[in-house]
Amino acid sequence: MSKRPTIADVARRAGVSKGSVSFALNGRPGLAQATVDKILAAADELGWRPSNRARSLSVSKAFALGLVITRDPAVLSSDPFFPAFIAGVESVLSTRGQALVLQVVADGSEADGYRRLAQDARVDGVFLSDLRHDDPRIDLLVELGLPAVTLNRPDGESPFPAVTLDDRPGTVAVVEHLLGLGHTRIAHVAGPPAFVHATARSTAFVETLAAAGLAPVAVEAGDFTAAGGIEATRRLLALPEPPTAIVYANDRMAIAGLGAAQAAGLTVPDDLSVAGFDDSELAEYVHPGLTTVRADPFQFGVAAARTLNRVVDGDTDVPDVELPPAELVVRRSTSAPPPL
């Protein structure tokens, strides 16, 4: 059996001191980036992996970050945000010898999920996603002593830094795109009203129409699921004066709604224009291709992991991080409304 490589082996391969290797592998500042890159390359060539048990005993850290998601595990893989977000997080953690502790929980059990993560110091910090209005989890994390980063800004007080992506410009752009095509009867299938980002999207939708002197045909409360998108679409199409365009708060509902419209005998976009939000992988390949708003959940994960690690490493002045706003992507699911 071959001997497991050590920090000393990595130091010899990279031509640096063991102290420099320790700094680089633990993500601590003070080394030139070229030196860090050389050390990481040497570690990778040797197949060196840290002993998290030894590291945690020596520095009282778990070398793990936590994420609690309220979703049905059976549909998580098709979620338009979290798989790419997690990939972005892992791209950062893998360079630091850290792990991501993921808990997928049912509605109403999130608090228990965070308590489990805090128990016995299983994680050094957590990502707080799907912010709610007056989110009680912020006080809970303070009570538990868990460092955190919030994904977008809460609407109340928070001691934690935030990584934010402004949903409003993308929502405004998709509504203005439809107005420019000549639509005046436009409806919205929103996300859960308890979510801060869902409210931001629906508010931007209503305000953009109001600026054009219009009111929405309807704003249906959705739940970000395909089933919810189908049911909301059926309700909208059953109205005495149905919309000629529907803007959905995410791609999953939009793609499901597109299918529901086609099943009802409508042609998209000749009879009904459809637009989503996320630019998920399937958006380009459905028929017709989905007009949507492109965000970058992978980079969201990268920025969130880097920010949380600054907090975990003891930085007491970690600023909020503003990501580039989401952008409109026009495809064939939108066109001029049908003639009156």
Side-chain angles (χ1 to χ4, degrees):
M1 181 181 296
S2 60
K3 177 185 172 185
R4 178 176 176 170
T6 66
I7 283 181
D9 296 325
V10 175
R12 280 192 296 271
R13 174 65 66 92
V16 298
S17 69
K18 289 192 291 184
S20 294
V21 172
S22 179
F23 266 57
L25 296 177
N26 287 292
R28 296 172 63 187
L31 296 177
Q33 188 58 50
T35 302
V36 173
D37 292 342
K38 183 166 61 173
I39 292 169
L40 294 178
D44 187 60
E45 291 167 5
L46 292 171
W48 180 88
R49 296 293 181 271
S51 167
N52 280 355
R53 176 177 172 80
R55 294 168 74 199
S56 63
L57 288 173
S58 65
V59 297
S60 299
K61 279 189 176 183
F63 292 95
L65 303 179
L67 175 63
V68 178
I69 302 175
T70 304
R71 292 289 190 280
D72 180 350
V75 300
L76 184 59
S77 63
S78 61
D79 185 276
F81 177 81
F82 279 110
F85 174 82
I86 290 170
V89 169
E90 289 284 10
S91 74
V92 174
L93 302 194
S94 63
T95 68
R96 292 171 52 103
Q98 292 172 298
L100 177 66
V101 179
L102 174 65
Q103 292 200 31
V104 182
V105 300
D107 285 336
S109 61
E110 280 180 304
D112 290 337
Y114 289 109
R115 289 191 178 97
R116 285 193 294 269
L117 291 178
Q119 184 179 3
D120 299 325
R122 292 175 58 193
V123 298
D124 299 315
V126 294
F127 303 98
L128 189 61
S129 66
D130 287 340
L131 291 178
R132 278 71 157 180
H133 296 289
D134 299 318
D135 202 316
R137 297 173 299 169
I138 292 175
D139 287 341
L140 173 65
L141 295 181
V142 172
E143 175 191 329
L144 294 173
L146 271 177
V149 61
T150 62
L151 308 187
N152 286 314
R153 290 189 184 92
D155 55 6
E157 293 294 323
S158 170
F160 307 121
V163 176
T164 70
L165 188 151
D166 190 354
D167 291 337
R168 291 181 58 85
T171 303
V172 170
V174 76
V175 175
E176 290 181 341
H177 165 67
L178 292 168
L179 292 172
L181 291 171
H183 290 274
T184 58
R185 300 204 314 269
I186 309 174
H188 182 49
V189 178
F195 287 179
V196 171
H197 66 293
T199 301
R201 294 175 193 180
S202 59
T203 299
F205 171 83
V206 172
E207 290 179 347
T208 307
L209 283 180
L214 297 172
V217 169
V219 175
E220 288 283 342
D223 59 2
F224 287 147
T225 69
I230 290 171
E231 290 305 314
T233 303
R234 288 172 176 167
R235 291 193 296 269
L236 290 171
L237 296 182
L239 292 172
E241 290 191 58
T244 61
I246 304 176
V247 176
Y248 296 80
N250 77 344
D251 281 358
R252 179 185 286 178
M253 293 193 298
I255 291 170
L258 188 155
Q262 292 172 332
L266 298 181
T267 299
V268 176
D270 295 343
D271 300 319
L272 177 71
S273 287
V274 171
F277 196 110
D278 289 318
D279 196 26
S280 54
E281 184 178 2
L282 288 178
E284 185 177 357
Y285 301 108
V286 294
H287 180 73
L290 182 67
T291 291
T292 185
V293 177
R294 175 178 294 156
D296 192 342
F298 182 90
Q299 289 303 322
F300 210 139
V302 169
R306 288 174 176 167
T307 302
L308 183 52
N309 271 324
R310 286 186 62 181
V311 177
V312 167
D313 290 344
D315 191 334
T316 58
D317 188 23
V318 181
D320 292 351
V321 176
E322 296 275 359
L323 298 173
E327 298 178 342
L328 176 66
V329 178
V330 177
R331 298 194 179 99
R332 295 181 60 196
S333 68
T334 51
S335 69
L340 296 176

